[in-house]
Amino acid sequence: MRNDRALHPRGVQLTGELTGTEPFPAAATVTARLSKGAGTGPGKPDVLGLALRVPTASGDWDLLLSSTGTGQRTRLLPKFVRHWRDARLGTLAPYRYRDELLWFMAVPDDGELPGRFTLHVSGKDAEWRRIADVTLHHEKPVTTPVAFDPVLNRPPEMEMAPHWLAVLREQAYHGSRRGRHQPES
């Protein structure tokens, strides 16, 4: 209705470098956006967000993460934090990849505005293992806004799960694109 993002209205966009292992590429230049869910002021609790556009062999992958818990149940819930250093940013809902459910989590460095994240993955057991590193270039902010869209921009082998939630997300992002007057791809 307001022709803007429903969540994470303000943020900073940067470029960065990713080095990783499957399902991420070994090396890639990424676009990242750091934001606060409600856009509260500095030091005020909010749900922090990290959006990553990762180029893969089968197309761009927009991976969206928000501050969450890290346990088997708490990783499914947003978590309000005051500072980036206290945040663990997760996918909330899993992806189905090669018949396995996977959750992703990013752990920031200690910077007030992080310059580095380690990416982790877990299955149903919530045993996290490190699979990638992202280094952001704060000296080179991105001036052209990127509309991150995990529905349109994901590798075909990375299916959103569970199915019922994927359907709801597709409808929500369709409405978001329409509100921003962004064409469907």
Side-chain angles (χ1 to χ4, degrees), residues 128-171:
W128 297 100
R129 61 183 171 83
R130 186 177 184 162
I131 57 167
D133 293 295
V134 175
T135 302
L136 300 177
H137 306 300
H138 285 278
E139 68 281 0
K140 299 178 194 174
V142 177
T143 55
T144 305
V146 172
F148 292 91
D149 189 324
V151 172
L152 293 179
N153 299 320
R154 63 182 170 79
E157 64 275 11
M158 201 56 74
E159 178 186 337
M160 294 179 142
H163 180 72
W164 66 267
L165 183 57
V167 169
L168 288 177
R169 288 180 81 179
E170 286 173 12
Q171 293 169 353

Side-chain angles (χ1 to χ4, degrees), residues 5-83:
R5 298 173 192 268
L7 298 171
H8 299 273
R10 290 181 302 280
V12 59
Q13 261 181 215
L14 307 163
T15 59
E17 304 304 321
L18 177 142
T19 56
T21 60
E22 195 178 328
F24 292 104
T29 298
V30 298
T31 301
R33 184 172 189 271
L34 303 170
S35 60
K36 295 180 90 174
T40 62
K44 297 197 173 159
D46 207 335
V47 176
L48 302 182
L50 169 65
L52 288 174
R53 176 159 292 167
V54 180
T56 70
S58 55
D60 285 342
W61 179 13
D62 285 356
L63 183 64
L64 306 186
L65 305 114
S66 296
S67 51
T68 65
T70 59
Q72 205 165 7
R73 288 185 179 82
T74 60
R75 67 183 171 182
L76 307 174
L77 302 170
K79 182 178 180 180
F80 287 78
V81 294
R82 289 181 186 274
H83 305 284

